[in-house]
Amino acid sequence: MIDDQNNISSQEKSDIQHEDKKKLSISEKRKLKYYQKMSESNELSEARKELEDEFLQSHPRFAQMSDEERMYEMKKHAQEEDKIAKQKLRNHLEAFSDGIIAVIITIMLLEIPMPNGTGGYWTFMSAVGIFLVSFIVVANFWFNHHQTFAATEEVTESIIIQDFIFTGLLSLIPLLTKWAMVAPNAYSSLNYGIVLLLILVQQEALSYSITKERCKGKPKYFNFWRKIWMSRLSFTLIINIIITIIAVCFPLYGHWLFVVVPVFNFFF
C-alpha cells in the first residue's frame, strides 16, 4: 500500500512538472535544460558554493540565517535585481524608440523641396501637406506606443524583438513620404498604405504581447480585453484597406485620407 502511494505520488509530481514545462516559454525551457545538465556535474555545486560565499561577503546579515532561509533570501534578492534590470531595459527601449521616431520626423521635414519661383509654390505646399499627413500618422503611432508601454514595467525578449520590428517598419515612412512628394501615383499610395497596415498590425501585436504578459493570472480580464482588441483591430484594418484602395484610385488626393485613421484613433 505504501509503495502504491509512493508510486502515485511520484506520478503526480511527474505530471505536475510536465504541465509546468508546457507553460514555460522557449527561452525558459532552454535555461531549464541547461541547469538540469549542469546539475549532473560537480562543477555546479562548487560554483554555487563560491557564489554563496561571495554573496555573504557583500550581505553579512544573511550569514546568521539557516541554509533554507539563506537560499530563500538569495533567490528573492536575485529576483528583485532581475526585476530592476528589466525595468531599466524597458526604459532604455522606450527611449530608443523615441529617438528613432524623432529622427523619422526630422528626415521627413528635410525632404520637403524648396519652392523654385512662383510656379513651384503649389508643389511646395503640396509637399508640406504630405509631410503633415505623415507627421500625424507617426505621432499617432508614438502616442499609441507610449500608451502600450505604460501598461508594463518590464519587457521580455519577445517584446524587445517585436518593438525592433515596429520601429524598423516605421523607419520606412520618410522614404514613402518622399515618394509621395516627388511622384504621387498609384504605386506610391499603394506602398504607403501597405506599410501603414504592416506597422499597425505590428503595433497591435506588440500591444497584445505586453497585455498578455501583464495579465498573467487574470484570464477573465485578458479574455475581456482580447475581445475589445479584436474588434478594434478588425475595424481599423478594414478602414485602412478602404482608404488605401481610394488612394490608389485617386493618387493626387487620396493620400490625404491616410490622416483619417490617426485622427479617429486619437480622439476616439
Side-chain angles (χ1 to χ4, degrees):
M1 177 68 76
I2 295 174
D3 293 337
D4 292 339
Q5 290 177 348
N6 289 336
N7 290 334
I8 293 171
S9 174
S10 331
Q11 184 62 35
E12 287 177 349
K13 288 180 180 178
S14 175
D15 292 341
I16 291 171
Q17 290 174 354
H18 182 68
E19 289 297 324
D20 289 341
K21 286 181 181 179
K22 284 183 178 179
K23 298 177 183 178
L24 297 176
S25 63
I26 296 175
S27 61
E28 288 172 337
K29 286 179 180 178
R30 286 201 299 262
K31 291 177 183 177
L32 180 61
K33 187 176 180 181
Y34 171 75
Y35 289 135
Q36 286 175 343
K37 188 180 292 185
M38 286 290 292
S39 63
E40 297 174 359
S41 64
N42 294 326
E43 296 179 0
L44 181 62
S45 58
E46 294 176 2
R48 187 180 293 162
K49 186 69 171 76
E50 291 176 357
L51 287 173
E52 186 176 347
D53 293 339
E54 186 179 74
F55 180 80
L56 291 176
Q57 290 177 3
S58 304
H59 305 82
R61 61 190 179 89
F62 294 118
Q64 306 300 325
M65 299 180 180
S66 63
D67 292 342
E68 186 177 343
E69 290 176 334
R70 189 182 304 121
M71 289 301 296
Y72 173 77
E73 291 296 334
M74 287 176 64
K75 183 179 179 181
K76 185 179 178 182
H77 181 78
Q79 289 175 342
E80 290 175 353
E81 287 190 335
D82 184 58
K83 184 177 181 179
I84 292 172
K86 287 181 177 179
Q87 288 175 346
K88 289 182 179 179
L89 183 59
R90 177 250 183 216
N91 294 334
H92 289 314
L93 183 64
E94 195 171 15
F96 174 74
S97 300
D98 285 349
I100 290 178
I101 292 174
V103 171
I104 288 171
I105 293 175
T106 303
I107 292 175
M108 290 191 306
L109 181 64
L110 295 176
E111 294 294 345
I112 298 176
M114 291 296 102
N116 185 14
T118 56
Y121 187 72
W122 169 248
T123 303
F124 169 74
M125 292 303 296
S126 178
V128 170
I130 295 173
F131 161 76
L132 292 176
V133 170
S134 297
F135 175 84
I136 294 172
V137 168
V138 173
N140 179 67
F141 280 123
W142 173 87
F143 178 75
N144 290 335
H145 186 268
H146 272 274
Q147 278 195 320
T148 301
F149 271 80
T152 183
E153 294 182 354
E154 304 174 14
V155 291
T156 61
E157 293 176 0
S158 174
I159 292 174
I160 293 172
I161 293 172
Q162 289 185 61
D163 192 63
F164 284 163
I165 296 173
F166 166 74
T167 51
L169 290 171
L170 197 62
S171 300
L172 294 173
I173 292 294
L175 177 63
L176 298 171
T177 301
K178 181 180 180 181
W179 190 1
M181 289 177 181
V182 175
N185 53 47
Y187 291 106
S188 63
S189 300
L190 178 63
N191 282 275
Y192 198 98
I194 289 174
V195 170
L196 280 184
L197 279 173
L198 292 175
I199 298 171
L200 174 66
V201 170
Q202 184 56 41
Q203 186 175 62
E204 291 298 336
L206 181 63
S207 174
Y208 184 89
S209 298
I210 288 178
T211 307
K212 184 177 180 180
E213 187 71 22
R214 183 172 64 94
C215 293
K216 281 184 176 180
K218 302 176 182 177
K220 292 182 179 179
Y221 175 82
F222 178 71
N223 289 333
F224 174 76
W225 175 86
R226 183 167 56 183
K227 291 178 181 178
I228 298 175
W229 177 82
M230 285 295 296
S231 300
R232 182 186 67 196
L233 177 62
S234 302
F235 176 78
T236 309
L237 285 176
I238 292 171
I239 294 298
N240 271 278
I241 291 172
I242 293 173
I243 290 174
T244 301
I245 294 173
I246 296 174
V248 170
C249 297
F250 306 98
L252 291 176
Y253 309 101
H255 60 264
W256 297 94
L257 295 175
F258 285 117
V259 78
V260 172
V261 175
V263 171
F264 181 85
N265 286 339
F266 184 80
F267 287 104
F268 299 100

